Amino acid sequence: DTGVSQNPRHKITKRGQNVTFRCDPISEHNRLYWYRQTLGQGPEFLTYFQNEAQLEKSRLLSDRFSAERPKGSFSTLEIQRTEQGDSAMYLCATTPKYYNEQFFGPGTRLTVL
Amino acid sequence: AQRVTQPEKLLSVFKGAPVELKCNYSYSGSPELFWYVQYSRQRLQLLLRHISRESIKGFTADLNKGETSFHLKKPFAQEEDSAMYYCALMDSSYKLIFGSGTRLLVRP
């Protein structure tokens, strides 16, 4: 599969634990986005990178959330001290240069007990 | 405020009937609008974008700036069209603002 990949696909954790998700973009896609989707809603923007630079963060992204994209390739999204309200599908999307179509990964479903 | 509204959570039609999924937006600049589709157990994928003015799988959408709408239409629905449909607006920093989605159910 040459599309955007995300790991793990599912994560169940206890409240207060830290979790980390990974997104591997399509080769040479320079922009990478993270979105969060809760039941019955469309995806909501969290943050995005152009190469390794994090250019924008949503107000939804509290200080418990951090994202990185070292070397401008894969990206990680970490949530510290998880809360039940963090339960959602976390989606990654990437975009090639000079083109605005976002290609989505399958998502990581997080359940916080 | 930038916003995308999809007023219908569920749209149920019979095979062969026309379909219109509504989308209204609020945006101060010149919008770039998209329709994304998610079939069962598949990832979100682009269906069409207003700039290209294409017809994909028989679907079309016309941007109406006066009514701030971007409704998705198909003259004859097929069972394989059953899916979640999301209207989205791209803002000036290239992020997508999605509506809450409409589930289309096409009955045989």
Side-chain angles (χ1 to χ4, degrees), chain B residues 45-105:
Chain B
Q45 58 186 277
L46 180 67
L47 179 62
L48 54 81
R49 51 194 303 181
H50 91 270
I51 282 180
S52 61
R53 302 186 65 82
E54 293 173 298
S55 171
I56 305 292
K57 299 185 179 183
F59 285 97
T60 59
D62 290 319
L63 177 60
N64 185 322
K65 290 187 179 180
E67 295 183 358
T68 60
S69 68
F70 188 56
H71 303 327
L72 184 68
K73 299 178 184 180
K74 184 170 182 176
F76 307 104
Q78 302 299 314
E79 288 181 68
E80 55 266 30
D81 297 328
S82 295
M84 278 295 297
Y85 290 80
Y86 294 95
C87 182
L89 179 155
M90 181 166 281
D91 74 2
S92 56
S93 61
Y94 305 108
K95 66 180 182 285
L96 290 170
I97 299 165
F98 285 88
S100 55
T102 297
R103 179 170 297 282
L104 175 64
L105 178 61

Side-chain angles (χ1 to χ4, degrees), chain A residues 87-107:
Chain A
S87 295
M89 177 73 87
Y90 290 83
L91 296 168
C92 175
T94 69
T95 306
K97 253 186 190 180
Y98 312 125
Y99 192 61
N100 284 338
E101 178 180 348
Q102 293 190 15
F103 293 81
F104 281 80

Side-chain angles (χ1 to χ4, degrees), chain A residues 33-64:
Chain A
Y33 300 79
W34 285 99
Y35 294 87
R36 181 172 68 186
Q37 186 174 22
T38 52
L39 202 59
Q41 299 298 319
E44 294 176 292
F45 169 77
L46 293 178
T47 188
Y48 97 92
F49 294 83
Q50 181 155 305
N51 300 313
E52 66 275 9
Q54 188 173 17
L55 295 187
E56 188 173 342
K57 292 193 286 187
S58 163
R59 285 172 296 175
L60 291 175
L61 213 65
S62 77
D63 57 6
R64 296 184 298 105

